[in-house]
Amino acid sequence: MLQPETIKIIITDDHKMFRDGLKYVLEKIPGTQVIAEASNGEEFLGLLDIHRPDIVLMDIKMPIMDGCTATKLIKELRPDLPVIAQSAYTLEQYHEKYNENPFDDYITKPINENVLKQKIMKYIDKSSKFDS
């Protein structure tokens, strides 16, 4: 049986403790690897071409450059790159606060480990990196 290539993930969140928690959960998902971390959207954009991720976990509310702004810029460069928003806002609160939704998916903090795994697996299953 052929082994799939590793799905490369970048975590962007302004809280290191939260990035560490996400990294811990993602390390349990076979076929995934956290390749970089960023503390704001501007820092993330500097990592985008260097690391070429397959999936991005993007906090919405961050200093310097928020997740919505960063994701809009990402989508101009790589429209097919899945970006999963993470926020303490519920989806309804998010839509009230932000008019546009540049994200492919959304998860509410505190992160439920099983929900995160399901969302990541959805993109792994869709990945063209896997041979049948």
Side-chain angles (χ1 to χ4, degrees), residues 22 24 29 34 45 55 65 69 71 77 87 130:
L22 281 171
Y24 174 78
I29 302 173
V34 176
L45 290 173
I55 299 174
M65 182 186 290
T69 302
T71 300
L77 301 169
S87 179
F130 292 90

Side-chain angles (χ1 to χ4, degrees), residues 28-51:
K28 296 179 184 180
I29 302 173
T32 66
Q33 178 186 13
V34 176
I35 56 169
E37 300 174 32
S39 61
N40 62 68
E42 186 176 280
E43 184 180 344
F44 168 80
L45 290 173
L47 297 172
L48 185 60
D49 285 335
I50 296 168
H51 293 287

